[in-house]
Amino acid sequence: MRHRLILNEITHTFEDGGMQRTVLDRLSLQVAEGELVAVMGPSGSGKSTFLSIAGALLKPTSGEVLLDGESMAGKEKQALSDMRLHKLGFIFQNANLIPYLKVEEQLMLVAKLGDMSRAKANDRIGELLHKLGLDHRRHAYPEKLSGGERQRVAIARALMNDPAVLLADEPTASLDAGRGMDVVGMIAREAKERGKSAIMVTHDERVLSLCDRVLYLEHGSLIEKY
């Protein structure tokens, strides 16, 4: 089985009031293609640090992250930025859409940054908006969208460059139960249909039935309870 994201013996420490604090302690995880893994844990347990390291936004104190078999260790800032653009899709708690860009323009910006041809970008935009039920919102500004629609646009933006790995940080926090299930269902289907690895940090127990595994971050390590 192919694992598109692998974290090996990840440790991360930082200084807190003159003391060294260990947030992640030799944490290891392999996420297979087609798999959606939920990560839960109390506030302050290191979930944000974990996701930042998995997404090449933060360098661990020690250990190695491999993305599609390629190590992130020792890479220059620009190389990591390129990996994030082409290999990683981020979905955040808040959609964080650019207020002055229409839905289509939000996605086209990502395509341009990824050097995608305009013809291919138009095809991809049409495909994603249709799949996410947003055809009729193609030319709408974010202020005209509902909360669920904005989150679906954020998912489309994360998928625009067909990343190998999806990382979602509390994607249902601002949604009601029905919309939350819809959003996580979309993430799960995208992982399975297109062979992606997906990790979702969440407090929302309502959506756990849609996940392949549920892990808890405790004392710097991941523990599987389901």
Side-chain angles (χ1 to χ4, degrees), residues 96-114 116 118 121-122 124-126 128-129 134-135 137-143 145 153-154 156-158 160-161:
N96 295 323
L97 302 180
I98 301 171
Y100 53 83
L101 293 183
K102 297 176 182 177
V103 168
E104 178 183 57
E105 294 167 338
Q106 308 269 348
L107 306 186
M108 186 61 76
L109 176 60
V110 177
K112 287 180 180 178
L113 291 173
M116 188 182 296
R118 189 167 188 88
N122 278 325
R124 181 70 172 149
I125 289 170
L128 286 171
L129 294 184
L134 292 167
D135 294 289
R137 292 306 207 183
R138 187 170 186 137
H139 302 293
Y141 288 100
E143 64 178 12
L145 305 176
V153 174
R157 182 179 58 189
M160 188 65 200
N161 286 337

Side-chain angles (χ1 to χ4, degrees), residues 4-198:
R4 307 202 74 170
L5 181 66
I6 298 174
L7 289 82
N8 282 329
E9 296 284 313
I10 298 295
T11 294
H12 192 72
T13 62
F14 68 94
E15 191 170 306
D16 182 14
M19 302 282 289
Q20 285 292 318
R21 183 184 169 200
T22 299
V23 183
L24 304 178
D25 186 13
R26 293 171 293 173
L27 179 152
S28 293
L29 175 65
Q30 297 184 344
V31 187
E33 60 181 4
E35 185 177 32
L36 171 58
V37 175
V39 174
M40 306 186 79
S43 297
S45 61
K47 298 187 301 300
S48 294
T49 300
F50 158 75
L51 209 61
S52 295
I53 290 173
L57 294 169
L58 179 66
K59 188 177 294 186
T61 304
S62 64
E64 184 180 36
V65 179
L66 291 96
L67 179 58
D68 251 359
E70 186 177 358
S71 176
M72 297 186 193
K75 287 195 176 293
E76 298 293 331
K77 194 173 183 179
Q78 185 58 51
L80 289 174
S81 179
D82 289 342
M83 287 185 80
R84 287 194 296 270
L85 180 60
H86 294 283
K87 294 282 190 177
L88 291 163
F90 293 92
I91 304 167
F92 301 102
Q93 176 175 339
N94 297 310
N96 295 323
L97 302 180
I98 301 171
Y100 53 83
L101 293 183
K102 297 176 182 177
V103 168
E104 178 183 57
E105 294 167 338
Q106 308 269 348
L107 306 186
M108 186 61 76
L109 176 60
V110 177
K112 287 180 180 178
L113 291 173
D115 297 321
M116 188 182 296
S117 72
R118 189 167 188 88
K120 184 177 179 182
N122 278 325
D123 288 345
R124 181 70 172 149
I125 289 170
E127 174 192 355
L128 286 171
L129 294 184
H130 180 70
K131 181 182 290 187
L132 294 169
L134 292 167
D135 294 289
H136 64 302
R137 292 306 207 183
R138 187 170 186 137
H139 302 293
Y141 288 100
E143 64 178 12
K144 299 297 184 182
L145 305 176
S146 69
E149 287 171 337
R150 285 194 292 271
Q151 195 66 312
R152 278 183 278 162
V153 174
I155 292 175
R157 182 179 58 189
L159 298 176
M160 188 65 200
N161 286 337
D162 199 21
V165 174
L166 289 172
L167 300 174
D169 187 7
E170 300 283 2
T172 68
S174 59
L175 304 177
D176 61 31
R179 293 186 190 279
M181 291 291 282
D182 288 344
V183 163
V184 177
M186 291 171 199
I187 296 170
R189 284 194 300 275
E190 185 68 20
K192 287 173 174 54
E193 291 173 4
R194 299 181 75 98
K196 303 180 188 305
S197 294

